């Protein structure tokens, strides 16, 4: 199993890409992998999507990620790591200077996990893609994240779909979007946004000249909110979707 694989990986000094997604490695298997990943100095892409590693497994991995200096792509989505797991990971993210792609979708974390991420995201200067979809961040969580998003100067793709942001969360995010100078893709689908939330977003879209894709599907935007968006979208000629 994972133990035998780990035994082989330890000798692969040139390994750059490792995809073990959609397996059942679990906490114990993640721990065994962690014992050797630090030896893979060239590792740039690590995908452990949907392996149910849990907080303990991710904690073991986090201990060695700081040794993976070349790591640019990290996918830990769909692992049920919760607030605790996100907190353990956050302790080392600031040391992953090459990290450009981070996927923590479907991990059952809320405002506390978002807060722990917010403490370190400002140090991730190379981050381009951040996927936090299908969690429970809420308005308070996105407020905490919003305080540092402007420090992620390279951030181009932000996915916050299905996070129960509602109108208040849309308002908090709208207050910082103008700081995200490189943002091209923003996904806020399935967040129970109503006319008020749409209006708040409409008020800042004109200040996001790089934004080319905006996803507001599966919300609760009515005629008034649609009208507010229509008023400004006609001026946002850079938007394609």
């Amino acid at each position: 199993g994972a133990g035998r694989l780990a035994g082989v990986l330890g000798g692969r000094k040139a390994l750059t890409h490792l995809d073990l997604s959609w397996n059942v490695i679990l906490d114990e298997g993640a721990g065994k992998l962690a014992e050797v990943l630090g030896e893979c100095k060239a590792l740039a892409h690590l995908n452990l999507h949907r392996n149910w590693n849990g907080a303990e497994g991710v904690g073991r991995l986090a201990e060695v990620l700081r040794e993976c200096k070349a790591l640019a792509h990290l996918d830990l989505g769909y692992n049920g790591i919760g607030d605790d797991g996100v907190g353990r990971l956050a302790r080392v993210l600031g040391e992953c200077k090459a990290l450009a792609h981070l996927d923590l979708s479907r991990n059952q974390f809320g405002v506390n996990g978002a807060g722990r991420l917010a403490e370190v995201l400002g140090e991730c200067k190379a981050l381009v893609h951040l996927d936090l979809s299908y969690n429970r961040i809420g308005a308070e969580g996105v407020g905490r994240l919003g305080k540092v998003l402007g420090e992620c100067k390279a951030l181009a793709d932000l996915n916050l779909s299905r996070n129960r942001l509602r109108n208040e969360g849309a308002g908090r995010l709208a207050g910082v979007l103008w700081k995200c100078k490189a943002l091209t893709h923003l996904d806020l689908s399935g967040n129970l946004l109503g006319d008020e939330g749409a209006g708040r977003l409409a008020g800042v879209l004109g200040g996001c000249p790089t934004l080319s894709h905006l996803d507001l599907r599966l919300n609760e935007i009515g005629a008034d909110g649609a009208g507010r968006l229509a008023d400004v979208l006609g001026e946002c000629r850079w938007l394609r979707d």
Side-chain angles (χ1 to χ4, degrees), residues 60-203:
R60 298 281 297 279
L61 283 170
E63 293 172 7
V64 299
L65 284 182
R66 57 169 55 96
E67 304 297 328
C68 303
K69 304 298 186 183
L71 190 65
H73 182 116
L74 178 61
D75 188 339
L76 293 174
Y78 214 153
N79 273 295
I81 67 177
D83 289 323
D84 184 30
V86 172
R88 295 186 186 197
L89 184 64
R91 294 173 191 166
V92 301
L93 281 181
E95 300 178 45
C96 301
K97 302 301 184 182
L99 190 64
H101 178 113
L102 178 61
D103 187 340
L104 293 177
S105 60
R106 297 178 184 267
N107 267 304
Q108 303 171 12
F109 68 89
V111 61
N112 290 330
R116 296 298 299 276
L117 277 177
E119 293 172 3
V120 298
L121 281 181
E123 301 173 36
C124 301
K125 303 300 185 184
L127 192 65
V128 173
H129 176 103
L130 179 61
D131 188 345
L132 302 179
S133 60
Y134 285 83
N135 285 297
R136 302 188 292 264
I137 292 173
E140 184 178 350
V142 81
R144 294 187 185 185
L145 286 169
K147 294 178 180 178
V148 298
L149 285 179
E151 298 176 31
C152 302
K153 302 299 185 184
L155 186 64
D157 191 335
L158 177 61
N159 190 341
L160 292 173
S161 66
R162 300 281 184 175
N163 265 291
R164 309 178 186 179
L165 301 186
R166 296 185 167 84
N167 291 330
E168 182 183 355
R172 293 193 180 196
L173 186 62
V176 298
L177 279 181
W178 64 273
K179 297 180 182 179
C180 302
K181 302 299 185 181
L183 193 66
T184 59
H185 289 66
L186 178 62
D187 189 341
L188 296 177
S189 59
N191 270 299
L192 303 173
L193 307 186
D195 289 341
E196 180 185 348
R200 292 189 180 189
L201 286 171

